Amino acid sequence: MNLFADFENRIKNTLETIDIIKEKRGEVDFGRLTVEPPRDASHGDVATNAAMVLAKPLGTNPRALADIIAEALKADADVSEVSVAGPGFINIRLSTAYWQRLLSTVIAEGVNYGKSAIGGGRKANVEYVSANPTGPMHVGHCRGAVVGDALANLMQFAGYDVTKEYYINDAGGQIEVLARSVFLRYREALGEDIGDIPAGLYPGDYLVPVGKALADEYGPRLHTMPDEEWLPIVKDKAVDAMMVMIREDLEALNVHHDVFFSERTLHANGAQRIRQAINDLTFKGHVYKGTLPPPKGQLPEDWEDREQTLFRSTEVGDDIDRPLIKSDGSYTYFAADVAYFKDKFDRGYDEMIYVLGADHGGYVKRLDAVARAVSDGKAKLTVLLCQLVKLFRDGEPVKMSKRSGDFVTLREVVDEVGRDSVRFMMLYRKSSEPLDFDFAKVTEQSKDNPVFYVQYAHARCMSVFRQARDAFPDMDVDSLDLKGSVGDITDPNELQLIAKLAEYPRLVEAAAQAQEPHRVAFYLYDLASSFHAHWNKGKESPDLRFVNDKNRQLSVARLGLVHAVASVLKSGLAITGTAAPDEMR
RNA sequence: GGUCCCAUAGCUCAGUAGGAUAGAGCGCAGGAUUCCUAAUCCUGAGGCCGUUGGUUCGAAUCCAACUGGGAUCACCA
C-alpha cells in the first residue's frame, strides 16, 4: 500500500467531478500533477500541486482553483483538513483512522511492505565487481561491489527479475602474466632460488600457495615442458585459485552473484562466439576495414597508421570507431565485450546495468554503441559510474601502490572495520560523488558511522518486546494480534512515526527508478532518527512509553507500532545488505 | 585538446522526476537519564546553493557559457 499513490488516485477522481475541469477535460492532462509529502511536516501530510499545474490551461488563477479543489476534497472521509498555501499548494491532513489503517497494513504485509510492481517482472541483469582474476580484491573494488549488490536487491524488491552477474576477465595478456608469475612461485616451491620478482610480473605473496599446490600436484614435470604446454595448465590453475580467493572476499562483504561469466568461453573453439557476434554486426552493416585517425592530444610515440577491422560506432553515438580485430589478426578486448553483450541480449534481458568505476568513464559511449547496434536499439543499457574511494587513516591519506603489491585489500578493510560498516559507508553517499573513507572514524567512534545508528534503532525495537515480556509475564507477546490493536494509537508523535513508515513504498520506487540505492540508506537513517526521537520523548513523558504495565491494551497497540518500525528497518537494511541485530554488543 | 563526473553551512554530505522559510551529521555553545541501552535526545549560532545569462506562475534542481576540482584518452585488459 502506497499512501501517495492512493491519494493521487483519489485526487484525480475528485478533479474529474469539478465542473470547470469537466468542461475542458480534453485540454488538460494530469501528467505533471504530483502528490507528495510536504517538505515541512507542519504543512500537512500530503501535498499536491494540482491547482498550479491546471490553472493555466483552464484560464484561471492557481489560488482560486485551489480553493475549489480543496472544497471538493473535504468530501473524502479520510481527509480531516484541507488548506491552501503559498502559490497554490493544497495541503491535506489525514484522519487518525487513516493512519491506524495504514499501520495495520504495514503490520499485515510484514516483509512484503514496500515491495513494488513497477519492475513489472522485467528481466534485469546487474553486472558488478568483475575484478580481474589476478589477485585478491583490493579496496577500490569495494564500492562497486556494494553499490551493485544493493542496487540489485533494490530492483528485485521493486519488482524486477534480477540476475547478479560477474564477468571474469580470464582471457587476455594479464592472465599470461599471472601464469608466469605463478610459474616462478612453482619453481620456488621446488627449491629454486628465484631472487627478486622481475618487473612486469605480479609480486604478491598470495601466489606462493598456488605455486606450492602446482609443485605438489605435478612435481618437477612442468619445468621440463615447453611454454606452450605448461602455460595452459598453469593459467587454468591460477585463475581457479584467484577466483576462489575472490569469492571468499565477496563472501566477506556479503556479496553474492548468480552468474559468473567467463570471458574465455567466448574465445573457445577458435573464438566461435566472438566471430558470430562480429558476423552479426557485419551483417547489419556496422563493420568495415579501415584505419583510424591518430589519437587527439598527445600522440603516442609508437603510433602507426594500420588497417584494422573496425566497428562503426560513430554511427550509434560514439566519438570514434573502435577496433574489433588487431592488425595481427587477434581479437581486441572490446570484441569479446561485443560478444558478451550479445550473449546477455540473447538471454533475454530487458535491462542491462553495468556498475563500473570512474576510471571506466571513457568506456561508456562504446558500450552504449554496442547495445544499440546489437539490439537494434531495443536493449536498455545503463552504466552506473562509481567515483573513486580515497582511503584515510586519522586524516592522512593511505598510500597504495599496486605495482609493488603493496595495496590495501578488501579483506583488510572488512576485517578491520566490519562488513556492515563498510557496506553502509559505501552506500551513504551518492555513487557519482567521490568518497573519503577514514578507518579511524568508522571504527573508533561508532557514532561516526550511520549504520550503528540505524541498527541501534532496530535493537531498541527488539528491546521493547523484551520489556513487554517482563512487564506482562502472563501474555504471549509473540502471538498477539498486533494489526487488530491499532485503535489506541492516537498521539501525534506516534502518527508522525507512521507517516514516516508511509513514505517507504514511494521511496523504494523512486530509488529503484533512479537506480540510486543510497536513497535507501538515507531513508533508514531518517526513520531511525524519528524513532530515537520518539523514544526519548518517553523519558520526559512517561505516558508515551511503549510498555505501560498499567495499560495492557495501549501497550499492545504500541507494540504494533514498534513492530512496524522494526519491520521496515529490517526490510531496508536487507536491501543494503546489512544485518538487523536484536541487540547491540 | 576531446569526453565523463562534480561544485550547497567551518568540515563531510543529503535535497525525494521544477515547488512553500534550502536540511542532516561532525565541530562549536548550552541543556536532558529516580524511567524501555546516553551507541540516544533537545535548543542555539552558522548559507549570494561556484559565476553570468536563459526557460516559467516558480530554479539549488532544467538549458547555455564561463571558473575551479577529479577521472579518462591506446591494436592494454
Side-chain angles (χ1 to χ4, degrees):
Chain A
M1 166 168 181
N2 184 335
L3 182 159
F4 301 96
D6 180 16
F7 267 84
E8 188 172 330
N9 285 331
R10 294 192 195 203
I11 289 167
K12 283 178 178 170
N13 289 340
T14 305
L15 291 174
E16 303 280 6
T17 67
I18 293 172
D19 288 340
I20 58 168
I21 294 175
K22 273 196 280 190
E23 283 164 21
K24 298 196 177 179
R25 187 62 190 87
E27 293 162 45
V28 299
D29 88 274
F30 296 162
R32 291 177 57 211
L33 189 146
T34 61
V35 177
E36 53 192 9
R39 201 159 259 188
D40 187 339
S42 67
H43 291 141
D45 301 315
V46 180
T48 179
N49 64 355
M52 291 182 289
V53 174
L54 300 177
K56 204 174 181 186
L58 292 177
T60 174
N61 80 73
R63 293 283 309 206
L65 181 60
D67 286 334
I68 296 170
I69 298 172
E71 198 54 39
L73 285 171
K74 284 177 184 162
D76 190 321
D78 290 321
V79 171
S80 72
E81 200 184 313
V82 187
S83 60
V84 176
F89 282 101
I90 301 168
N91 292 319
I92 299 168
R93 202 166 283 286
L94 302 177
S95 69
T96 301
Y98 186 84
W99 289 125
Q100 291 171 345
R101 276 209 312 283
L102 197 136
L103 175 59
S104 183
T105 308
V106 177
I107 297 167
E109 293 185 3
V111 291
N112 291 319
Y113 174 68
K115 264 191 189 167
S116 164
I118 52 161
R122 282 194 299 281
K123 285 185 71 178
N125 182 292
V126 184
E127 182 202 324
Y128 56 104
V129 187
S130 300
N132 282 350
T134 55
M137 291 179 64
H138 59 85
V139 68
H141 296 117
C142 224
R143 191 174 192 184
V146 172
V147 168
D149 200 54
L151 175 63
N153 293 342
L154 173 62
M155 291 180 72
Q156 183 85 47
F157 199 61
Y160 289 88
D161 177 8
V162 178
T163 301
K164 298 176 173 181
E165 188 147 325
Y166 186 117
Y167 183 53
I168 309 173
N169 293 137
D170 54 2
Q174 86 282 8
I175 298 302
E176 182 160 334
V177 173
L178 173 72
R180 292 187 182 281
S181 309
V182 167
F183 195 69
L184 206 60
R185 296 299 188 176
Y186 158 73
R187 282 161 49 197
E188 184 182 41
L190 291 175
E192 198 173 323
D193 179 8
I194 58 168
D196 292 337
I197 308 289
L201 294 186
Y202 298 116
D205 288 342
Y206 57 87
L207 295 178
V208 173
V210 187
K212 173 85 166 51
L214 279 174
D216 290 348
E217 184 174 352
Y218 291 90
R221 271 190 294 143
L222 294 175
H223 209 356
T224 61
M225 296 178 184
D227 284 13
E228 316 84 74
E229 276 181 48
W230 66 256
L231 259 176
I233 299 172
V234 177
K235 273 186 186 177
D236 274 3
K237 295 287 179 190
V239 167
D240 287 351
M242 294 304 104
M243 284 312 294
V244 167
M245 274 174 50
I246 287 173
R247 282 174 194 251
E248 283 169 6
D249 288 348
L250 291 170
E251 173 65 38
L253 246 195
N254 196 22
V255 169
H256 302 93
H257 290 85
D258 303 311
V259 174
F260 285 82
F261 189 99
S262 160
E263 183 187 357
R264 262 190 298 181
T265 61
L266 300 170
H267 289 273
N269 302 321
Q272 189 187 6
R273 299 173 73 183
I274 296 177
R275 281 208 317 266
Q276 278 172 1
I278 293 178
N279 286 345
D280 186 58
L281 280 186
T282 309
F283 182 70
K284 290 176 180 169
H286 293 293
V287 177
Y288 69 103
K289 283 201 173 194
T291 56
L292 286 172
K296 296 197 177 83
Q298 214 173 6
L299 196 67
E301 281 172 25
D302 57 346
W303 188 83
E304 270 181 67
D305 203 18
R306 275 177 285 211
E307 191 181 74
Q308 304 150 45
T309 299
L310 300 168
F311 169 40
R312 202 186 301 279
S313 51
T314 45
E315 277 195 0
V316 273
D318 203 356
D319 302 319
I320 190 167
D321 290 341
R322 304 293 175 177
L324 292 166
I325 302 177
K326 303 180 201 170
S327 52
D328 69 0
S330 62
Y331 294 102
T332 61
Y333 174 82
F334 178 65
D337 241 14
V338 173
Y340 178 41
F341 182 87
K342 182 170 170 5
D343 183 86
K344 279 185 185 170
F345 183 65
D346 291 343
R347 275 186 274 156
Y349 291 106
D350 303 299
E351 294 199 26
M352 276 148 275
I353 295 162
Y354 288 74
V355 180
L356 302 176
D359 52 342
H360 286 73
Y363 212 68
V364 176
K365 285 194 175 181
R366 207 168 316 184
L367 280 174
D368 208 47
V370 171
R372 286 192 213 188
V374 169
S375 75
D376 297 317
K378 286 181 206 135
K380 187 180 169 203
L381 173 140
T382 326
V383 178
L384 212 64
L385 283 184
C386 294
Q387 291 299 313
L388 303 181
V389 177
K390 273 187 239 162
L391 276 187
F392 291 86
R393 190 178 289 279
D394 297 321
E396 292 295 312
V398 177
K399 292 209 179 90
M400 278 190 289
S401 163
K402 205 174 172 184
R403 201 163 305 160
S404 67
D406 170 32
F407 51 81
V408 180
T409 64
L410 180 147
R411 187 59 75 87
E412 285 165 341
V413 176
V414 172
D415 287 349
E416 182 170 339
V417 310
R419 165 202 284 183
D420 288 349
S421 295
V422 173
R423 285 195 67 119
F424 211 84
M425 283 305 273
M426 294 293 164
L427 288 170
Y428 205 59
R429 185 118 327 164
K430 206 165 35 179
S431 56
S432 55
E433 290 270 355
L435 187 150
D436 292 346
F437 188 94
D438 195 315
F439 283 95
K441 273 193 175 175
V442 175
T443 46
E444 276 173 21
Q445 293 171 306
S446 51
K447 64 181 164 185
D448 274 336
N449 192 325
V451 73
F452 293 110
Y453 185 85
V454 176
Q455 291 180 326
Y456 183 36
H458 184 268
R460 273 187 156 172
C461 289
M462 295 300 107
S463 158
V464 172
F465 276 84
R466 287 192 290 271
Q467 291 295 330
R469 284 184 200 102
D470 288 348
F472 307 105
D474 58 317
M475 192 160 81
D476 185 359
V477 170
D478 299 303
S479 55
L480 294 168
D481 175 23
L482 295 175
K483 65 178 187 295
S485 309
V486 297
D488 288 304
I489 301 291
T490 54
D491 186 88
N493 292 296
E494 295 170 334
L495 299 183
Q496 239 177 316
L497 207 45
I498 300 174
K500 189 55 76 183
L501 298 176
E503 290 175 19
Y504 187 57
R506 183 174 181 272
L507 172 109
V508 167
E509 291 189 353
Q513 274 177 320
Q515 301 179 331
E516 293 185 339
H518 76 275
R519 291 195 199 181
V520 176
F522 279 94
Y523 170 78
L524 287 172
Y525 188 89
D526 210 30
L527 174 59
S529 179
S530 297
F531 182 72
H532 285 310
H534 186 59
W535 174 290
N536 272 72
K537 287 216 172 72
K539 288 179 187 290
E540 292 150 27
S541 322
D543 55 311
L544 280 180
R545 289 180 199 168
F546 298 115
V547 178
N548 180 343
D549 55 15
K550 306 230 167 42
N551 192 337
R552 201 181 174 100
Q553 194 184 328
L554 182 62
S555 297
V556 172
R558 287 181 173 171
L559 283 177
L561 178 60
V562 172
H563 175 83
V565 171
S567 156
V568 173
L569 286 172
K570 191 171 183 177
S571 165
L573 283 167
I575 291 173
T576 67
T578 49
D582 288 352
E583 53 187 344
M584 304 294 278
R585 287 287 168 208

